[in-house]
Amino acid sequence: QVQLVESGGGSVQAGGSLRLSCAASSSTVSMGWFRQAPGKEREGVAAIYTLVGSTYYADSVKGRFTISQDNAENTLYLQMNSLKPEDTAIYYCAAKSSFWAATWYLQSTYNYWGQGTQVTVSS
């Protein structure tokens, strides 16, 4: 089993930045960030192929968000810059313990999920 704990969420004004962290209890093959806004479906934000470092992003966050990892502590990060009100959502960390899948943006791809951390961006 892999335990995932997100942190770093909070409230920020539009244009500001936040860095989310996800601490994993053990190593993973890949990890990703998803978010779910009120009344909307959970969507993939970014993912990283942990073993290689390859990254993937949703079009809505490209150029603003950066996903990275600290393998020494099995920690995943999401640096969010130039935040917009539409970025407001609960952000979830996800991990996959088996082989890499091209469907990084699908919830079903991942084996483990964190409880989420709230990000609120005000205008």
Side-chain angles (χ1 to χ4, degrees):
Q1 67 175 181
V2 178
Q3 300 267 59
L4 303 175
V5 181
E6 302 98 334
S7 62
S11 298
V12 65
Q13 292 187 309
S17 300
L18 282 174
R19 188 178 75 158
L20 305 184
S21 298
C22 174
S25 61
S26 60
S27 62
T28 61
V29 172
S30 62
M31 297 183 75
W33 287 100
F34 283 72
R35 67 184 181 186
Q36 186 165 27
K40 293 187 176 181
E41 190 175 338
R42 189 173 300 187
E43 63 175 346
V45 176
I48 186 167
Y49 184 9
T50 306
L51 299 179
V52 177
S54 300
T55 58
Y56 308 85
Y57 298 92
D59 290 339
S60 60
V61 306
K62 285 182 178 178
R64 298 189 299 121
F65 291 10
T66 302
I67 188 170
S68 61
Q69 63 185 348
D70 179 353
N71 292 129
E73 295 189 29
N74 294 320
T75 303
L76 179 72
Y77 300 99
L78 184 67
Q79 178 64 48
M80 306 185 292
N81 298 325
S82 301
L83 284 164
K84 305 174 181 179
E86 50 263 48
D87 293 319
T88 295
I90 297 176
Y91 283 70
Y92 298 89
C93 175
K96 179 176 173 60
S97 60
S98 60
F99 57 88
W100 164 253
T103 52
W104 64 268
Y105 49 87
L106 296 179
Q107 295 179 64
S108 60
T109 294
Y110 303 89
N111 306 107
Y112 308 98
W113 292 86
Q115 292 300 303
T117 184
Q118 178 71 48
V119 170
T120 301
V121 184
S122 59
S123 60

